[in-house]
Amino acid sequence: MSSAEELTPELMLAFYRRLYPFKSIFGWLNHELAPTKLFTHREFAFTLAGDVYLRYNSFKDAEDLKKQVLALNPTRFEIGPVYSARPRDKKTVLAINFKPILRELVFDIDMTDYDSIRTCCSDAGICRRCWNFISVAVRVLDQGIRDQYGYKHLLWVYSGRRGIHLWISDKEAMELTDDERKALVGWMTVIQGGKDVHKKVNVRTGLSPLPPSLQLALETLRTTFSEFVLPDQDPFHSTEGWEALLQLIPHAETVKKLRDDWSDAPYSTSEERWDDFKRIIQKQEKGSRLRKTLEYAAEDIAIQYTYPRLDAEVSKHRNHLLKAPFCVHPKTSRVCVPVDPANIERFDPGRVPTVGQLLGELDKAVADASDKEGQDGGEHRSGEYGFYVPCSYI
Amino acid sequence: MYKVQKKKPEVDIHSQLKYRFRLNFYDKPPLDDIIIEDFETFALDRLRVLAEIETAFVRNSPWETIKKHTEDQCRKYLELGHTTAKTKDLDRERQKDHISHFVLRLAFCRTEELRRRFVKAETTLFRIRYANEDPQELISFLKSRDFDWVEVSSAEIEQYRDQLDAAGGKGSDTFYKVGLNRDAVVVFPEVIGLHQVKWTRVPDLVEKRKVFLKGGMAYVSSKEQSSIIFQSFQAHLEKALELTAKALPRLDEDTRIVPILDHLSQGFLAGGTSEWNNATSANGDEITADMVDDISRKHFPACMRNLHNALKRDRHMKHFGRLQYGLFLKVLGLSIDEAITFWRRGMSTIQDDKFNKEYKYNIRHSYGLEGKRANYPAKSCQQILMNDQPGSGDSHGCPYRHFSPENLQTALLSMYSSQGLTSADIPEIMQIVKGGHYHVACTRVFEITHAKYGIRKDNGVGDGESVTHPNQYAAKSRELELGATKGAVKKDTDGDVAMS
């Protein structure tokens, strides 16, 4: 679907006036009906046309926020932490009395971090096929966090272009300090190392099985690896592709054998090549050290080609700002809709409504003399895309 | 398991001790009367140890080095014997540890920065003591406190057997062993098993995936339990310091205490108070006015080199510069007659008449020959760093602190390049200076310029100590040279040079 639709200020204003669910956002941030510090001491940052950035705004309720949004008509706005004082009073309170105290635990997964393993698109591009990487990331993280940390209030939001955000609103998650966030991210981060590091999965100590958290994820990852990565992404088809694979095999003889075989078979698919490798493993004596080494290497490879790649910096600091749900992505004009992790596979980023479509539908609905109005129209439409109303789960 | 055992009567072999354990979580402040002298000296002694720990961190020393230096310092200033050591006055030692900790709390609770540094140093000290603790004593200490952990039932262990093994990483017997001492893995039936705590209690273990997590609870094997204890110590101290900070203004203030506290909190900036005792020329050799120029090139720290060069260049020096340099030279071994000769030659822009009237008196005064006839000590690094900030036209102070970065670089290179300082060393030194650790920068320069005597990084001015006094710098430097000429210095040892 093309994103050629022009985002005019008028369109944005109409979107904010008629569609944006301020009440839901309020309910989601505030956790209660009457405004609490969770909302009134919360920082909002607006990005206006021409890269003007306004930080430290705060509002007394949903109505107040809406009024300001309509007055400024920002291209997007971001949500920050709850401070110990009202952010709008920042200049008048002492610095020591102005500290971030509460903040949803947030994660950001961006498709650009997958460029080394995806073959269908690169950079800002995203398609149905590479969305599978996001799907597996969502499933692994969602399962892991619920199981290991016991958090329940997870909200997944499509970031509008090529990524996904996770907001965790459990009381305990909100109270985490920066150090604890760093620890949690460390626990979750498996893929490490830059361009010049071949083996990016280093979680074992010597020749030991995977840590329990990863064993839990491994099942999902393995399925994704054999059912999606190998047939669809075909990462080992090209010479560079299989050379990269050989770099990850810690046994010189095996590597040499495979290299000889594969040099003569330029048209083999990734599945065939992977089977070659698996066959070599099977040939090794059961329980031998070599077999174990190769088996573990195979596991690590599957993980490296599927495990979620997190943007760690976003999660580590309480005062990091993150785009609010339901904002419009300025480049694609798509709305950042919440996503249901249970149906993540069926989500298609290409079918997320743009502002223009939503407003058009709304006009049509009004013209049809339907009694649906304002936000109802928006949520009705977005229901198809697995919206769930955020305040309902608090 | 813990709670049940706590209620059992225990055979207490040291029941006569007021402080039963060597380790202390410092829950309760000391309630006895304290002599004001003890109040200060105890705190100063502890401060030396903490300053050494902090310095070691700044210099990025490996943990083993930090541990060794700290143990050495502790032996000197803050000995804390094991309960089995019968010959020592354990209560006295432990009381000193207790009191000094609380005095320093008062001194360091006042700003966030000081609190942070204090907590870090104290936690490190605790870790080092914990590591050296006798296993039996450690067990009774651990039993004496509630660490808010839950013993994992054997049913649960069975349920998560595989995951727990994978988290432990060393096979199934991991959870029956506990490594209390770094070197020894000892089996202790009393402390076997697993503890369950909220994961936020052990963030470091979580980050390294050394625990098994389920529903927000971390299952910590006994060999990692020290992590819970250190975290608990740190959290406890942080909270206590904040409370102290809030209570401090309401303290019914005694005018004797505030100056002491002020003095103590300054100590951290200068890296500890100097123990240099101003014993004039320990080597017994006299220095004459003619020798100063030569010695300055070989043995002076940057502050004194700078003063010396300024005197040669300007043929004059302002009051505080004369004071700082004059007292330094006095302690270095310049006699009063030589000092007058030296200054007469140095201040060549001044008429004889004026010199005799105004300057000579000052020089004699600083030697204790005029006025109240006090024997003034030379200024320590702390005094140079903190007092009498140099104004325009002054050349005293500490170059590391009072020079602009560009000037400092040029000055260091011109002063020390003949002794082996190269421009490759400059970035490291500037980095330390930027962090505000001036004495560490000075110590590093000492190490670099004395590499030919076998001084290595982390040796400091001997025993890993850092520079706290210009005279200490000069004396150690001269000792090294003397040792080398006599051939008495063992090259490539740890730079440990005995005082002659």
Side-chain angles (χ1 to χ4, degrees), chain A residues 147-149 172 183 187 189 203 212, chain B residues 199 203 206 209 213-216:
Chain A
D147 172 77
Q148 286 136 36
Y149 291 91
E172 271 177 27
W187 170 275
T189 305
V203 290
Chain B
W199 77 267
V206 169
R209 276 193 223 99
L213 272 186
K214 188 85 189 170

Side-chain angles (χ1 to χ4, degrees), chain A residues 71-346:
Chain A
L72 293 172
N73 193 15
T75 51
R76 61 183 175 141
F77 60 92
E78 291 171 312
I79 298 176
V82 176
Y83 283 93
S84 49
R86 268 192 293 271
R88 64 162 71 161
D89 298 338
K90 182 177 185 282
K91 289 207 173 92
T92 56
V93 296
L94 284 175
I96 48 160
N97 293 330
F98 189 75
K99 273 185 274 186
I101 41 177
L102 295 172
R103 160 71 158 159
E104 285 82 7
L105 176 61
V106 293
F107 288 94
D108 180 12
I109 303 169
D110 196 302
M111 217 50 232
T112 37
D113 294 329
Y114 284 78
D115 277 355
S116 62
I117 54 167
R118 65 173 174 166
T119 55
C120 52
C121 314
S122 65
D123 295 328
I126 190 166
C127 66
R128 204 51 235 259
R129 287 165 62 202
C130 47
W131 184 257
N132 276 303
F133 281 119
I134 300 282
S135 303
V136 68
V138 168
R139 259 184 300 146
V140 166
L141 280 186
D142 200 72
Q143 179 191 32
I145 285 171
R146 284 176 205 268
D147 172 77
Q148 286 136 36
Y149 291 91
Y151 298 140
K152 294 187 187 70
H153 304 307
L154 279 65
L155 175 68
W156 290 94
V157 182
Y158 174 53
S159 73
R161 185 155 64 170
R162 51 172 180 196
I164 199 156
H165 297 161
L166 168 62
W167 300 73
I168 304 176
S169 314
D170 289 68
K171 185 164 174 292
E172 271 177 27
M174 295 196 62
E175 284 167 352
L176 294 179
T177 63
D178 286 358
D179 281 344
E180 289 159 359
R181 281 164 209 257
K182 187 167 151 274
L184 196 150
V185 172
W187 170 275
M188 284 292 168
T189 305
V190 173
I191 310 289
Q192 262 167 335
K195 264 202 199 92
D196 302 315
V197 181
H198 295 299
K199 185 163 169 51
K200 295 191 169 78
V201 177
N202 296 296
V203 290
R204 302 172 198 268
T205 39
L207 207 56
S208 62
L210 287 171
S213 58
L214 275 171
Q215 271 173 5
L216 186 77
L218 188 61
E219 239 172 273
T220 317
L221 298 177
R222 260 198 187 131
T223 321
T224 311
F225 186 67
S226 56
E227 289 175 9
F228 159 67
V229 174
L230 289 180
D232 185 286
Q233 292 291 317
D234 207 4
F236 311 136
H237 173 70
S238 67
T239 313
E240 294 132 47
W242 60 256
E243 276 293 348
L245 170 63
L246 292 181
Q247 297 279 3
L248 300 172
I249 300 174
H251 184 237
E253 260 177 60
T254 312
V255 170
K256 188 172 177 303
K257 182 172 183 321
L258 289 175
R259 182 172 285 138
D260 291 346
D261 290 356
W262 293 349
S263 309
D264 301 334
Y267 301 110
S268 291
T269 64
S270 294
E271 279 172 307
E272 285 161 358
R273 296 200 206 280
W274 187 248
D275 285 341
D276 290 344
F277 177 42
K278 289 270 270 288
R279 235 172 284 129
I280 292 186
I281 298 177
Q282 301 295 335
K283 270 189 226 151
Q284 307 302 326
E285 191 186 329
K286 273 220 165 100
S288 71
R289 198 181 160 78
L290 178 58
R291 176 153 179 161
K292 218 170 195 185
T293 311
L294 291 177
E295 272 171 354
Y296 285 162
E299 276 180 6
D300 285 356
I301 291 166
I303 293 173
Q304 176 156 340
Y305 279 84
T306 49
Y307 194 87
R309 284 150 157 77
L310 300 173
D311 184 347
E313 291 313 309
V314 176
S315 314
K316 277 186 196 165
H317 301 290
R318 273 173 293 194
N319 57 0
H320 200 103
L321 295 156
L322 197 63
K323 193 158 50 155
F326 297 108
C327 272
V328 174
H329 194 288
K331 292 268 162 53
T332 62
S333 22
R334 295 191 198 287
V335 180
C336 304
V337 291
V339 176
D340 178 5
N343 292 318
I344 183 75
E345 289 83 7
R346 285 194 276 135

Side-chain angles (χ1 to χ4, degrees), chain B residues 13 17-19 26 72 74 150 210 231 240 267 273-274 278 291 311 356 358 365 384 398 404 429 432 434 466 483 500:
Chain B
I13 38 169
L17 284 180
K18 212 173 101 206
Y19 293 90
Y26 310 107
D72 291 347
C74 278
V150 184
K210 280 192 175 163
Q231 194 274 343
T273 42
S274 178
N278 290 289
M291 290 158 70
L311 183 63
N356 285 336
E358 293 174 21
H365 184 261
I384 293 171
C398 172
S404 71
I429 291 162
I432 305 173
K434 216 172 138 202
S466 52
S500 51

